[in-house]
Amino acid sequence: MAKKAKITDRVPEQNDADDDHVDGELVISIEKLQEAQDDLEKVNEEASDKVLEVEQKYNEIRRPVYLKRNEIIKTIPDFWLTAFLSHPALGDLLSNEDKKIFKYLYSLDVEDFKDVKSGYAIRFNFNENPYFEDTKLTKTFTFFDDGTTKIVGTAIKWKEDMGVVNGVKHEKKGNKRPSSEESFFRWFSEIEQKDIAEFQDEVAEIIKEDLWPNPLKYFNNEADEEESEGDEEENGDEDDNDREEDTEGDN
């Protein structure tokens, strides 16, 4: 007569069945989670499209206001020179010679393409000047669906000997931005990142996202004032803390 199987002999088989049950439930849960995540992605894509539509609509509304603002700026001497010099990042990029050239700059314009996600252009408009033949210098950034970027800049037609004065004959070392001793205008010829997936033009981004929306803030040096006020508040808090510590020490 065969012996009855011990309970302990059946436990591993039961544990294996439990593990299979848990694994099956886990797979089902993960599949459901993936479905929920896919649904979220669809909603996010739809939201992004709607945001672009709204941005495009308001770009069209902003455009005439920007043009009106530019007409007013034309009546203010050295507006863009002052705004650039007051900007904590852009001011360091202007050489002494650049500052002289910027006195002829009467208009700066940043314009998104009609399809806002496809790119934008930055235009510097100058009065006739002794430095170059051009009256308009443009740098354009075009973004493609495959993630690449095409950069096109004006090839500046310098007048005799002015190109040498402004550093265009100097060799560029790596991808480093020009120092304050070199000309800001070399930025227009920095297009070697053309058609690459990883694109970054720090100067363009600062002009487009920071300077252009409210140049009056920098013309009035409000940015420096806000920074100074922040420093004063921080110093005031430190002084209060020091006094509190001294008081506690006396007690």
Side-chain angles (χ1 to χ4, degrees):
M1 182 176 180
K3 294 182 179 180
K4 291 183 179 180
K6 295 181 180 179
I7 295 177
T8 53
D9 292 338
R10 295 199 301 268
V11 170
E13 296 177 4
Q14 182 178 349
N15 289 342
D16 290 342
D18 290 342
D19 288 343
D20 291 341
H21 178 67
V22 171
D23 289 343
E25 288 183 343
L26 181 60
V27 169
I28 293 172
S29 296
I30 291 176
E31 288 176 349
K32 290 181 178 179
L33 180 59
Q34 184 61 56
E35 289 175 4
Q37 197 62 45
D38 291 341
D39 290 340
L40 279 174
E41 289 299 323
K42 292 177 183 177
V43 173
N44 289 338
E45 288 177 9
E46 183 179 345
S48 296
D49 291 339
K50 293 295 182 182
V51 168
L52 286 174
E53 288 177 13
V54 172
E55 182 66 20
Q56 195 160 307
K57 173 185 175 182
Y58 280 93
N59 272 352
E60 294 173 1
I61 295 173
R62 290 188 196 105
R63 189 62 190 159
V65 181
Y66 279 137
L67 294 176
K68 177 182 176 181
R69 188 184 71 179
N70 269 349
E71 290 301 314
I72 297 171
I73 288 176
K74 290 178 185 179
T75 67
I76 303 174
D78 299 334
F79 178 90
W80 288 111
L81 171 60
T82 304
F84 259 74
L85 291 177
S86 300
H87 193 283
L90 298 175
D92 292 337
L93 300 180
L94 299 187
S95 69
N96 289 331
E97 202 68 19
D98 292 338
K99 296 172 188 176
K100 298 176 185 177
I101 299 175
F102 262 62
K103 284 185 169 291
Y104 294 91
L105 176 63
Y106 69 85
S107 174
L108 174 67
D109 189 28
V110 177
E111 184 175 10
D112 287 302
F113 293 171
K114 190 169 182 61
D115 179 2
V116 294
K117 65 181 179 181
S118 65
Y120 62 93
I122 300 177
R123 301 183 186 89
F124 290 70
N125 298 298
F126 292 85
N127 290 313
E128 289 188 12
N129 62 80
Y131 296 93
F132 41 71
E133 302 290 346
D134 314 86
T135 56
K136 179 186 294 183
L137 303 181
T138 304
K139 195 162 185 181
T140 302
F141 304 87
T142 304
F143 307 130
F144 296 101
D145 292 337
D146 62 0
T148 59
T149 301
K150 181 178 180 181
I151 310 171
V152 178
T154 299
I156 302 176
K157 300 174 184 176
W158 295 96
K159 293 184 177 179
E160 188 174 359
D161 295 332
M162 288 301 173
V164 176
V165 171
N166 287 282
V168 296
K169 298 294 184 181
H170 297 173
E171 291 294 327
K172 183 182 176 185
K173 298 179 180 178
N175 292 321
K176 188 178 179 182
R177 283 287 308 137
S179 69
S180 58
E181 296 302 316
E182 297 174 329
S183 178
F184 166 80
F185 292 91
R186 289 189 58 183
W187 174 66
F188 289 95
S189 64
E190 291 179 359
I191 57 174
E192 61 275 4
Q193 295 190 74
K194 181 177 179 179
D195 294 337
I196 62 171
E198 295 182 3
F199 159 73
Q200 183 177 16
D201 187 312
E202 186 178 357
V203 173
E205 291 174 1
I206 291 172
I207 292 174
K208 183 178 188 294
E209 304 296 340
D210 189 23
L211 178 68
W212 174 246
N214 187 7
L216 185 60
K217 176 174 69 173
Y218 294 104
F219 180 80
N220 287 335
N221 283 317
E222 292 175 9
D224 291 339
E225 291 174 6
E226 290 173 4
E227 186 175 341
S228 298
E229 289 174 2
D231 292 341
E232 289 174 3
E233 290 178 3
E234 185 176 338
N235 292 333
D237 291 340
E238 291 177 357
D239 291 341
D240 291 340
N241 292 334
D242 291 341
R243 281 194 292 272
E244 289 177 4
E245 291 175 0
D246 293 340
T247 302
E248 292 174 359
D250 293 339
N251 293 334

